Amino acid sequence: MSSRALAILLLVLSAVPSLPPSAAQELSYRIVREWVVLQIERGGTVLLSYNLTVAVDSGAIRRFVRVGMPAGSFEVLEARELETGLEVNYDEIREGDYYAVELHPSSPIEAGQSRTFTFTLLVEDFIYADETNPGNVGVQFTPSWFDDAPVEDLRVLVVLPEGVRSSEVRNYPDYDNLMNLDGRVALYWERRNLYPGERFEVGVSFPSRYVEHYVEAPGSSGILYRIGQILGVLIMLAPFAFILAYILYARTKKPLGEYEPPWIGIEALGPQKRLNPPEAAYLMLLESGKREFSRVITVALVEGLKLGVLELESLRPLRLRVRDDGGPLKYYLRRLVRCIQDDGSLNEDCLARLIKAVHRATYRKLSGFSRKETVDFYRKKIAEGWRELQSAPPEKKREVLDEWIEWLMIDENFFERLREALRAPEPAQVVLPSDWWMYRIWRWTWPGWDRHVVIVTRPAPGAPRVEPVKEPRTVTGIERRAEGPVVSLEKAADEVARGVESVFDSVADSAEGLADRVTRLIAPERTRPRSRTRTAVSSCVCACVSCACACACVSCACACAGGGAG
C-alpha cells in the first residue's frame, strides 16, 4: 500500500467516532434472583409481586427489562428500583397473545453492575374452574422465563384466600414447603440454576367457595379430556403409593423440626415499611377490629393542615378551605381536597370513597409482605416516636412533634400520651413561632393566645437591646427570627393535645354515618358473579411428579410469557 493510500485510510478511521466499550460488546446478562409472590384474594383477583435482580456481564441494559405476564387483564400498581428507591417508568405490553411489563431503568445497567426491580400487579380473570376436581377452582402459573439468560435463584410463593385449609389444597408439582402466613395457607417452591428458556410451572386448586369470582370453563370433550378422566382415576390410587413412598422417604429424610423455612418475597416477606400514615392507621384499625374510620380522615386532615394545603374555617361545625392544592399531593390528600364542598363541609360519600382508596392502596402494598410483621413494625415505629418526643429537650419538642405527629395520632391513647411526652421533669418556658401550623387549630381552640405575647429577639453584635412588646409582630434582620408567644411547656402540651383532640371530635361529628358507608362500599353484599367464558380453553392433563403430590388440573391454557432485556 502506498504512503498516500495509508494516509487516507488513517484519516477515514480517525473520523469514525469511537464507541464506549459496553456499546461495542454483545449484551450478556443473567437473572440473579426471581422471587415471585402470587396472592389470591377472596374477591377473585390476584396480586402478583416480583422481586427481580438483573446482573450484566457484558454490554449494557440501556432501554428496558421485560418480564412476561400470565394474562392480558393486568394492571401495574407500583414499580421501583430497590437500590435507588425510585419509581421507574414502565409500559404494559399486549401484543396478540403476548403480555409483558417493560421496565425502564433509571440509568443504564453497565457490565459488572446489577439492578433490582420490585413491582406489583393486579391480575383479573386468572382463576379458573377446575374440571378434574369438581367444585374446585385454581390457577396455573409459570414465572417469566428469559430465552437469553439463566435464572440462578427462582422462588415462588402462592398465598391462598383466607379460610382455605391445607387438607383442601391440590397442587403440582409437590411443594418444597407449606406455610401459614397471617392465617393463610401458602405453598412454596424454589429452583436453582435454570438454563436460558427453561420454564417452571406450578398449579394450585382449592374449593370454589373461598372466592367470589372465577372464570367458568366450557364443557370439554375430545381425547385430551378423556385422558384427563383416566388419569383422574389413577390419581385415586395415589394414596397407596404415597404411603409406601413416605415410609422410604422417612428413612432418609431428616426430621421435620430441623427444616429451616425458606426466605422469600419482596425483601423476604418481611414488614412493608412504605405505608403512609393514613394507610398505617387503617391497618391498625383492621387489626383492632374497630370501625373508627374518622381517625384515618383526621390523620390525613392534620397532614393537610401541617403542609398548608388546608385552612380550618370552623370547628363546630367543621368547615375547611383549600389554601393551595397546586403542588404534587399524595393520593389521599388529593381525594380529601375533592371531598370539601362549596360550604366547606365534608361529603360523607366522598370520604367513604377516600377510605376505600386507602383500603386498596394498603392491601396492594401489603402484597408479598407479612401483615403481622408489618403491624409489629408500625407499633415499634410509633413507640420510637413517643420515646424520641419524651426524651427531647424542651426547645426541641416542637420539631420532634412536627416530624412524628401523623404517626403518633395512630395511637389510641394519643391525647394522654401526648400531654405526658411533651412535659419536662422541670418547669420550662418555650417560644411557639407565630408561623407554626398549630395556629390554624388554635385560632378556634385557644383564642386568647395572641393577647399575651412576648417577642424575643437576638440583636446583632453592637446593636441596642430591643425591649419586649405586648403585641404580635414579625421581627426580621440579621441573626433575628420571627417569634410567638412564650408559654410554659405544660401549657403548650395541654393546648396542642386539646387542639388536635378538638379536630378529632369535629371530624367524627361531621361524619357520623361514615362507618356504615365504608362497610357497604368495601364489603357489599352480593351474589357470586360470573365472568365471561373464554372461547379457547384446553383440558389439562398432568401426571404427578411426586408421590406426595395431589394433582391439580386447572382448566386454563396457561398463557405465560417470557421476558428479555435491551
Side-chain angles (χ1 to χ4, degrees):
M1 180 181 296
S2 66
S3 59
R4 177 182 176 84
L6 179 61
I8 293 175
L9 178 60
L10 292 175
L11 180 63
V12 171
L13 291 177
S14 65
V16 177
S18 61
L19 296 174
S22 60
Q25 296 177 353
E26 182 178 353
L27 174 62
S28 174
Y29 68 98
R30 52 197 161 85
I31 307 301
V32 177
R33 176 173 67 185
E34 184 178 2
W35 292 356
V36 189
V37 178
L38 191 149
Q39 184 169 308
I40 303 173
E41 301 297 338
R42 180 173 290 275
T45 58
V46 172
L47 286 171
L48 182 61
S49 300
Y50 268 85
N51 186 322
L52 188 78
T53 300
V54 183
V56 176
D57 295 321
S58 64
I61 296 177
R62 302 184 179 278
R63 297 177 297 146
F64 64 87
V65 173
R66 183 176 292 176
V67 181
M69 290 294 108
S73 53
F74 69 88
E75 176 190 1
V76 178
L77 304 178
E78 183 183 39
R80 289 181 178 273
E81 288 179 340
L82 194 61
E83 291 84 357
T84 64
L86 298 174
E87 292 190 12
V88 296
N89 295 325
Y90 59 85
D91 291 317
E92 297 179 354
I93 308 297
R94 296 177 179 87
E95 299 174 350
D97 293 332
Y98 178 78
Y99 316 115
V101 174
E102 197 170 82
L103 304 164
H104 303 289
S106 61
S107 60
I109 311 173
E110 304 287 351
Q113 296 179 346
S114 64
R115 193 78 49 84
T116 299
F117 300 91
T118 63
F119 57 99
T120 301
L121 311 96
L122 182 69
V123 186
E124 297 180 337
D125 294 339
F126 190 50
I127 305 172
Y128 283 81
D130 184 346
E131 291 181 345
T132 304
N133 299 282
N136 273 22
V137 295
V139 296
Q140 285 180 319
F141 174 65
T142 303
S144 180
W145 65 89
F146 298 81
D147 289 332
D148 48 1
V151 177
E152 298 178 352
D153 182 5
L154 173 64
R155 306 186 186 187
V156 181
L157 185 73
V158 177
V159 183
L160 301 181
E162 293 181 3
V164 177
R165 298 189 299 271
S166 58
S167 59
E168 298 176 309
V169 179
R170 301 290 182 267
N171 63 276
Y172 76 89
D174 189 19
Y175 49 75
D176 294 319
N177 195 25
L178 186 67
M179 304 180 183
N180 185 303
L181 297 178
D182 298 330
R184 299 171 65 170
V185 173
L187 292 81
Y188 170 79
W189 295 266
E190 66 177 55
R191 294 294 184 271
R192 306 282 180 174
N193 300 319
L194 280 71
Y195 55 80
E198 184 177 357
R199 308 178 189 186
F200 175 66
E201 182 183 70
V202 300
V204 179
S205 171
F206 54 89
S208 61
R209 65 179 179 272
Y210 294 110
V211 292
E212 299 172 351
H213 174 83
Y214 58 88
V215 180
E216 292 278 15
S220 298
S221 59
I223 186 63
L224 290 180
Y225 180 65
R226 297 303 178 189
I227 294 175
Q229 288 182 316
I230 294 172
L231 286 177
V233 175
L234 294 177
I235 290 168
M236 295 177 62
L237 302 176
F240 300 99
F242 169 77
I243 294 173
L244 177 62
Y246 181 79
I247 295 173
L248 298 175
Y249 176 81
R251 292 180 178 178
T252 57
K253 187 69 175 178
K254 66 179 181 179
L256 181 63
E258 300 177 12
Y259 184 81
E260 182 179 350
W263 199 246
I264 180 179
I266 305 302
E267 286 307 284
L269 271 177
Q272 167 57 276
K273 301 179 181 180
R274 291 178 177 171
L275 296 184
N276 292 308
E279 295 164 349
Y282 182 79
L283 178 61
M284 294 302 188
L285 281 180
L286 295 182
E287 193 68 15
S288 66
K290 297 182 178 180
R291 302 198 306 164
E292 194 183 355
F293 300 115
S294 58
R295 180 177 295 272
V296 179
I297 301 297
T298 308
V299 171
L301 173 57
V302 167
E303 183 176 341
L305 291 172
K306 192 174 80 170
L307 294 175
V309 176
L310 302 175
E311 190 70 62
L312 196 59
E313 293 290 305
S314 169
L315 262 180
R316 302 288 181 176
L318 180 65
R319 294 292 184 266
L320 299 168
R321 175 172 59 85
V322 180
R323 298 181 73 244
D324 178 19
D325 63 344
L329 298 177
K330 295 173 182 175
Y331 73 93
Y332 51 85
L333 286 179
R334 291 197 305 270
R335 289 178 175 268
L336 181 59
V337 165
R338 292 201 295 266
C339 291
I340 301 175
Q341 304 182 104
D342 292 340
D343 63 352
S345 62
L346 292 171
N347 183 291
E348 280 197 24
D349 290 328
C350 181
L351 293 180
R353 291 191 293 272
L354 189 159
I355 295 295
K356 182 178 181 180
V358 173
H359 166 87
R360 294 185 63 185
T362 303
Y363 270 82
R364 288 170 182 174
K365 289 185 178 181
L366 284 175
S367 173
F369 294 86
S370 168
R371 174 169 165 171
K372 181 180 182 299
E373 291 185 39
T374 301
V375 170
D376 291 342
F377 171 81
Y378 286 102
R379 283 176 177 161
K380 293 176 182 178
K381 183 181 182 77
I382 293 168
E384 177 189 352
W386 286 124
R387 286 193 299 269
E388 189 171 331
L389 184 61
Q390 181 82 53
S391 61
E395 67 275 9
K396 293 292 184 181
K397 285 185 180 290
R398 181 185 62 83
E399 297 177 11
V400 176
L401 179 63
D402 277 354
E403 178 183 353
W404 284 96
I405 186 166
E406 295 102 312
W407 298 106
L408 301 181
M409 287 170 64
I410 299 173
D411 193 327
E412 293 183 356
N413 301 314
F414 168 73
F415 306 113
E416 296 80 5
R417 298 196 66 176
L418 181 64
R419 288 182 171 91
E420 178 184 346
L422 284 176
R423 293 190 175 104
E426 300 294 333
Q429 298 288 108
V430 292
V431 180
L432 303 175
S434 57
D435 59 350
W436 195 21
W437 64 271
M438 272 299 302
Y439 288 103
R440 297 193 176 99
I441 300 176
W442 283 343
R443 174 185 174 188
W444 306 102
T445 63
W446 187 15
W449 70 267
D450 59 349
R451 290 200 288 269
H452 304 285
V453 175
V454 176
I455 302 298
V456 181
T457 64
R458 295 180 179 177
R465 183 174 181 274
V466 178
E467 294 296 331
V469 295
K470 297 296 183 180
E471 61 181 14
R473 64 187 179 89
T474 300
V475 180
T476 59
I478 298 176
E479 295 187 4
R480 298 180 182 182
R481 59 191 177 92
E483 298 294 338
V486 178
V487 300
S488 69
L489 184 59
E490 184 175 2
K491 175 66 173 176
D494 288 339
E495 294 300 340
V496 169
R498 189 159 66 92
V500 179
E501 188 173 15
S502 297
V503 176
F504 260 102
D505 294 341
S506 186
V507 172
D509 291 344
S510 64
E512 291 181 340
L514 180 60
D516 292 336
R517 282 179 164 83
V518 170
T519 301
R520 289 195 300 268
L521 194 61
I522 292 180
E525 295 182 3
R526 58 177 179 174
T527 58
R528 177 184 296 167
R530 295 291 189 265
S531 74
R532 69 186 186 280
T533 300
R534 291 195 176 183
T535 56
V537 178
S538 62
S539 300
C540 87
V541 179
C542 68
C544 294
V545 297
S546 167
C547 292
C549 164
C551 185
C553 296
V554 182
S555 302
C556 71
C558 187
C560 297

